[in-house]
Amino acid sequence: MRIAVTGATGLIGSALVRSLRADGHEVVRFVRREPTGGDEARWDPARGYVDPAGLAGCGAVVHLAGAGIGDHRWTAAYKKEIRDSRVLGTAAIARAVAALDEPPAVLVSGSAVGYYGDTGDRAVDEDAPAGQGFLPSVCVEWEAAAAPARSAGIRTAYARTGLVVAREGGAWGRMFPLFRAGLGGRLGNGRQYWSFISLRDEVAALRHIIDTPGIEGPVNLTAPEPLTNRQVTAAMGRVLHRPTLLPVPAPALRIVLGELSADVLGSQRARPARLLESGFVFRDPGIEQAIRAAL
């Protein structure tokens, strides 16, 4: 199959591209610079431009592009970049696929479990409403921006991804060096739930969505049972054989991270009901399995 991917240089996108190509699929990577090879196509999300030639003949489009949530302090300008990179990019891709004479069978558009906001101890699945705050509002707009694809009859799924356990990037990419140095510890009181997923399960889930005609709408890409930050911290210590005695107080996180600290200290107990109902089998359902897979 010919498959187009945005965000193909990111943590998830690059792993997805490798997986698809290893199985013989033709992958077109959308880039914001001038293409340098036949496997690249140009797009400019801010201007709403997508090269239609890159989409021609594609059976699926996977849209993962967006500014990193934790890459910078959340100034007003960076919050705008977080929102615009997702909403404008998704709208551009959705309009482009809808305008094709032969559109793809499926659009898998990135989203996040941030959609649910702080759920405390309450477990939520894809039927739960959006939460309150900046990230939930971004996720709502992000998913709504794919409306042109849905209206054109293209099966559209929103991959609400949790915290990806990987060495190469994301939250775990920053945590591994700290824990290896014996400096890891719980964040705040450690009672907040983390909805995690291993990188290889994330890639497998995206491919499962592509290959399963009945899956559309929101899909939580998280391991079956979320754990508290305290439990995750203990697991990191066990796998890496390092002490985890240095908690990071909540006030310190607020000083260092600013508004982002609310997301770090918030609790999201999301479960992957749609994946499980559709027969998806996790290779790394537990946190220690996910950590060992990353290593």
Side-chain angles (χ1 to χ4, degrees):
M1 184 189 301
R2 179 174 161 95
I3 301 171
V5 179
T6 73
T9 60
L11 172 66
I12 299 169
S14 59
L16 176 63
V17 169
R18 288 194 301 270
S19 174
L20 290 169
R21 286 180 170 166
D23 286 341
H25 294 284
E26 178 187 357
V27 179
V28 180
R29 299 177 301 144
F30 273 83
V31 297
R32 283 175 282 188
R33 51 170 171 74
E34 284 301 315
T36 58
D39 66 336
E40 294 183 342
R42 181 89 160 85
W43 80 312
D44 186 338
R47 289 177 47 235
Y49 171 75
V50 180
D51 182 359
L55 297 171
C58 286
V61 175
V62 183
H63 170 52
L64 301 173
I69 294 295
D71 290 357
H72 300 278
R73 195 176 180 86
W74 282 6
T75 62
Y78 195 66
K79 286 170 71 174
K80 183 177 186 301
E81 183 175 345
I82 289 172
R83 185 184 300 272
D84 287 353
S85 67
R86 286 160 173 74
V87 176
L88 298 181
T90 301
I93 289 293
R95 288 194 301 266
V97 296
L100 294 171
D101 292 335
E102 296 184 12
V106 59
L107 168 64
V108 182
S109 188
S111 187
V113 294
Y115 177 95
Y116 305 108
D118 190 337
T119 71
D121 293 338
R122 177 172 53 92
V124 295
D125 62 17
E126 292 88 348
D127 292 328
Q132 301 294 318
F134 173 66
L135 285 181
S137 69
V138 168
C139 290
V140 169
E141 291 187 52
W142 191 2
E143 294 180 7
R150 293 197 312 274
S151 298
I154 299 168
R155 179 167 65 90
T156 303
Y158 316 112
R160 291 179 181 168
T161 296
L163 293 167
V164 179
V165 185
R167 285 183 306 171
E168 300 88 344
W172 252 271
R174 298 184 182 188
M175 288 197 298
F176 273 122
L178 291 174
F179 276 84
R180 286 185 183 278
L183 301 176
R186 61 177 170 79
L187 303 179
N189 61 28
R191 292 196 295 268
Q192 66 273 31
Y193 276 88
W194 279 14
S195 298
F196 66 91
I197 186 170
S198 71
L199 180 57
R200 64 183 179 184
D201 275 341
E202 171 79 11
V203 169
L206 290 169
R207 296 191 57 175
H208 179 74
I209 295 172
I210 292 172
D211 295 336
T212 308
I215 300 181
E216 59 184 316
V219 186
N220 289 342
L221 271 60
T222 64
E225 291 297 332
L227 298 176
T228 64
N229 172 257
R230 186 186 296 269
Q231 291 171 311
V232 170
T233 298
M236 288 283 282
R238 287 193 300 271
V239 174
L240 296 174
H241 306 292
R242 293 291 187 275
T244 57
L245 304 176
L246 299 173
V248 182
L253 281 172
R254 294 188 183 100
I255 292 172
V256 173
L257 300 178
E259 191 176 347
L260 175 59
S261 66
D263 188 52
V264 172
L265 294 169
S267 182
Q268 288 165 347
R269 195 177 182 183
R271 287 181 170 152
R274 297 267 162 85
L275 280 180
L276 294 173
E277 289 166 1
S278 65
F280 181 77
V281 177
F282 286 86
R283 292 182 66 185
D284 307 306
I287 186 60
E288 290 197 18
Q289 293 164 300
I291 294 169
R292 293 184 192 283
L295 295 173

